[in-house]
Amino acid sequence: MVSNLSVLIPARNEEPNIKILLPQLLEKYKNYIREIILINDCSTDGTQKVLRQLKKKFPKIKSINRRYNPGVGNALKEGIKNLSTRSKYVLFMDCDFLANINDIDKMIRHIGEFDGIIGSRFIRKNSLVSYPPLKRVVNRLYHHLARILLKIPNSDLTNNFKLYRTSLVKRIYPLLTASDFACNAELGFYPVLMHARITEIPVSWQERTKQMGLSKFKILKVGPSYLKVFIHLLNFKNKK
Ligand SMILES: Nc1nc2c(ncn2[C@@H]2O[C@H](COP(=O)(O)OP(=O)(O)OP(=O)(O)O)[C@@H](O)[C@H]2O)c(=O)[nH]1
Ligand SMILES: [Mg+2]
């Protein structure tokens, strides 16, 4: 059975979402979760204040408050460095995955057979509700290139919705170079290149409502970083 589960969540200005997400996770998965590590990067809204309140009520919540050099990759690496020594599994997820809380149940039930399970938005039809068309095209192109050049057939390895064994996370950690969103691609692709047992389950994706705050993802800004990661992945594959 899954125990000693660490949940790693990067956050930047996510006050409205963490108020809902963290209590729901702890309510639904209290038998599994050892810790939720929320890595708060330079938030200018009430994220830190809400976190302080939540931590009083839920001792399993830990926070890392980063004050400079923000970025999802920097935050995730910091989170991994701070995992409990007793951590056996790590769940990576975003603050706006409120609609995906129930999907974790399936991941937990099946992780015994795998080293990692990734939530894919591209297995089931109609899984994407108002997904930005440009992001979709670029995402599909990235995975298409991966199929051809890396011989990786998986459908959505860049989604930051992954349940991994902690031992696997520690093997990937030294390979992580991206400071931004492209770290999600490193976390998804390296395990497959390392021949870890990775599978995907279908999940849906829902656009942020007005109440959920703004997206921080800017495709033109992070595009070069994803390309750099792809070159690292190619080099890694060719060296093996
Ligand atoms: N720690 C940290 N977290 C960040 C930073 N930028 C974004 N995040 C978090 O990363 C997660 C994903 O960010 P989103 O803005 O939802 O990006 P996205 O999912 O690609 O965009 P959407 O399509 O709007 O959902 C959220 O939990 C954010 O709070 C950052 O600089 N530092
Ligand atoms: Mg999002």
Side-chain angles (χ1 to χ4, degrees):
M1 186 181 112
V2 171
S3 62
N4 287 317
L5 169 66
S6 306
V7 186
L8 284 192
I9 309 177
R12 187 158 189 198
N13 295 337
E14 296 283 5
E15 176 184 355
N17 298 323
I18 59 170
K19 269 186 206 164
I20 301 168
L21 180 68
L22 302 194
Q24 284 198 14
L25 286 176
L26 286 164
E27 170 70 23
K28 193 161 166 51
Y29 300 105
K30 56 176 170 289
N31 295 335
Y32 306 105
I33 294 177
R34 159 164 287 275
E35 58 185 357
I36 296 183
I37 306 180
L38 196 128
I39 311 106
N40 171 26
D41 253 1
C42 313
S43 290
T44 50
D45 68 350
T47 296
Q48 197 169 340
K49 192 176 123 218
V50 168
L51 260 178
R52 261 201 304 272
Q53 291 161 355
L54 287 171
K55 277 163 68 178
K56 276 191 207 143
K57 194 160 169 208
F58 304 101
K60 287 184 178 175
I61 299 178
K62 299 172 184 170
S63 61
I64 299 173
N65 286 301
R66 302 184 72 250
R67 292 185 207 293
Y68 55 92
N69 213 8
V72 171
N74 291 336
L76 290 178
K77 281 182 265 183
E78 188 85 19
I80 294 169
K81 269 198 278 179
N82 282 279
L83 288 172
S84 157
T85 51
R86 296 173 73 175
S87 170
K88 284 201 188 133
Y89 297 90
V90 180
L91 174 71
F92 296 91
M93 74 185 297
D94 290 348
C95 294
D96 56 334
F97 286 176
L98 302 177
N100 298 103
I101 294 173
N102 288 334
D103 294 326
I104 299 165
D105 191 46
K106 191 169 180 192
M107 291 175 153
I108 288 177
R109 277 190 279 120
H110 292 282
I111 190 67
E113 306 143 49
F114 301 99
D115 298 314
I117 299 184
I118 301 180
S120 167
R121 303 156 291 186
F122 297 98
I123 294 178
R124 216 169 35 202
K125 273 208 169 134
N126 308 321
S127 290
L128 302 171
V129 182
S130 312
Y131 198 69
L134 179 63
K135 247 174 114 172
R136 186 196 164 106
V137 168
V138 174
N139 182 302
R140 294 301 74 205
L141 197 64
Y142 203 80
H143 284 82
H144 192 65
L145 280 180
R147 207 163 300 137
I148 297 169
L149 300 175
L150 299 169
K151 313 282 179 234
I152 289 182
N154 304 64
S155 67
D156 194 12
L157 298 179
T158 52
N159 196 11
N160 186 35
F161 193 31
K162 305 173 167 89
L163 176 62
Y164 282 2
R165 290 174 191 271
T166 304
S167 51
L168 174 63
V169 175
K170 295 207 165 144
R171 279 170 61 207
I172 316 165
Y173 178 80
L175 299 166
L176 301 177
T177 57
S179 59
D180 53 21
F181 282 93
C183 183
N184 293 332
E186 296 181 303
L187 279 166
F189 280 94
Y190 277 120
V192 181
L193 288 177
M194 288 168 153
H195 305 296
R197 295 169 304 161
I198 300 295
T199 193
E200 293 174 301
I201 59 160
V203 298
S204 62
W205 181 92
Q206 297 211 354
E207 193 186 19
R208 286 172 182 262
T209 58
K210 271 209 184 93
Q211 293 83 348
M212 289 168 75
L214 297 173
S215 167
K216 288 99 207 162
F217 188 91
K218 303 275 179 293
I219 204 144
L220 292 178
K221 201 169 153 211
V222 295
S225 185
Y226 275 89
L227 285 179
K228 214 157 115 188
V229 164
F230 200 89
I231 291 164
H232 289 167
L233 293 169
L234 272 175
N235 288 338
F236 184 84
K237 184 178 168 63
N238 292 335
K239 263 197 244 143
K240 286 200 103 189

